[in-house]
Amino acid sequence: MAVALRCFRHLPPLLSRSAFAVARGLPQAPAGCPALLLDGCRHRVLQVLLTRQLATKKAKGKGQSQAKVNISAALVEDIINLEETNEDMQAVVEALKEDFSRNLSVRTSPGALDQIIVMTKDGKFPLNQLGQISQKSPQLLIVNMTNFPESTAAATKAIRESGMNLNPEVDGTIIRVPVPKVTREHRESLAKLAKQSTNKSKEALRKVRSKSITQVKKSKSKVSEDTIWLLEKQIQQMADSAAAEMDKLLAAKTKELLG
């Protein structure tokens, strides 16, 4: 009896692992615990873990906790590359962060115009590849289009439609861009743009999630339904985590913009 009790003391740490992690390698029998008895414990632990995971599939109603799934990427690499999926989701988050930093600022600087995309007859180009951008005063930016005069009109249109509340004025091949005063209306306009950018990023995130889940479902004929469900749940958790990070970025940017 004492021997059995010593074995069962090892169950709590086992129960904290996912079914897949446990299946990959359980600890060896401790000193004084017969290996045969621990093997029986292992089998029971696997059953308990799988039961706990699948119970969340049917859980309904508020207040019921949802178990976290943490599948080792190496164990399912023949079905889907989870690390690549996570990288794709994080790339969307980083793109939103870059958009906030570059395009949504209370103060407009020359660098804010650099990556405005200009549609020309030869294709799309960043504004800083077509014109020389400088700051004449705190209230005025200058874009010199001498090197590509034929793109002056397209550059002017791109600046006006950039969503940065800019109203450029053209004088030959020189584009003057007055920097708007920081009014409450301007701050609120930028905050709305931040919200719109976040919504677009979340849509891109949903596309990554849907693509990954579709890939997982293609393996239905090779793996169990439970494995498919666990993978779908983990992908959803990854997407939820990325979306939560976007919400934090939006909250911080909104606070910054509104002052």
Side-chain angles (χ1 to χ4, degrees):
M1 184 62 162
V3 173
L5 287 176
R6 284 201 299 274
C7 293
F8 277 96
R9 288 196 191 106
H10 295 269
L11 286 180
L14 296 182
L15 289 171
S16 67
R17 306 181 183 181
S18 72
F20 291 94
V22 174
R24 193 177 183 184
L26 289 170
Q28 297 300 311
C33 179
L36 184 59
L37 180 55
L38 186 59
D39 285 341
C41 294
R42 288 175 176 170
H43 179 69
R44 181 55 185 156
V45 168
L46 288 175
Q47 289 181 324
V48 171
L49 283 168
L50 187 57
T51 300
R52 285 188 177 187
Q53 293 281 17
L54 297 180
T56 63
K57 186 177 181 180
K58 301 177 181 178
K60 294 182 179 180
K62 296 181 179 180
Q64 287 184 293
S65 62
Q66 297 292 307
K68 290 283 186 180
V69 177
N70 187 19
I71 302 172
S72 170
L75 295 175
V76 293
E77 60 185 4
D78 58 330
I79 301 174
I80 186 173
N81 190 327
L82 287 176
E83 292 179 353
E84 185 176 292
T85 297
N86 187 57
E87 288 173 0
D88 289 344
M89 290 183 177
Q90 286 305 308
V92 177
V93 176
E94 289 302 316
L96 177 64
K97 194 181 297 184
E98 177 69 15
D99 181 43
F100 280 178
S101 175
R102 186 179 296 277
N103 300 321
L104 295 175
S105 175
V106 174
R107 298 288 182 184
T108 303
S109 64
L113 304 183
D114 285 351
Q115 299 304 313
I116 289 178
I117 300 301
V118 181
M119 294 285 294
T120 73
K121 62 180 182 179
D122 296 318
K124 300 179 181 179
F125 298 93
L127 180 59
N128 64 354
Q129 290 185 14
L130 300 174
Q132 297 177 334
I133 306 171
S134 60
Q135 187 162 8
K136 188 172 183 179
S137 72
Q139 287 76 41
L140 182 64
L141 300 178
I142 298 294
V143 182
N144 188 333
M145 298 294 296
T146 302
N147 292 333
F148 296 93
E150 70 280 4
S151 299
T152 301
T156 303
K157 179 181 179 182
I159 295 170
R160 184 175 290 113
E161 297 177 354
S162 66
M164 298 171 66
N165 194 33
L166 301 175
N167 188 25
E169 303 167 356
V170 182
D171 182 9
T173 58
I174 300 297
I175 304 174
R176 292 185 173 85
V177 186
V179 177
K181 293 181 179 180
V182 185
T183 63
R184 186 66 186 177
E185 182 181 0
H186 179 51
R187 289 177 179 272
E188 291 175 351
S189 175
L190 290 175
K192 288 180 180 178
L193 287 174
K195 177 66 174 177
Q196 292 173 7
S197 294
T198 303
N199 288 339
K200 289 180 180 178
S201 294
K202 285 186 175 181
E203 179 60 31
L205 179 65
R206 284 191 287 270
K207 289 181 180 179
V208 174
R209 181 203 61 192
S210 297
K211 179 181 177 181
S212 298
I213 289 179
T214 298
Q215 183 177 343
V216 167
K217 287 182 176 178
K218 290 180 180 178
S219 299
K220 277 188 174 181
S221 60
K222 298 186 292 184
V223 297
S224 70
E225 181 181 344
D226 294 337
T227 300
I228 295 294
W229 179 80
L230 288 172
L231 279 170
E232 289 179 356
K233 185 174 177 63
Q234 174 139 342
I235 292 169
Q236 183 62 55
Q237 285 176 182
M238 292 160 62
D240 290 343
S241 178
E245 190 173 350
M246 289 181 186
D247 288 336
K248 289 180 180 179
L249 290 172
L250 175 61
K253 176 55 70 172
T254 301
K255 183 178 180 180
E256 172 195 324
L257 294 173
L258 295 180

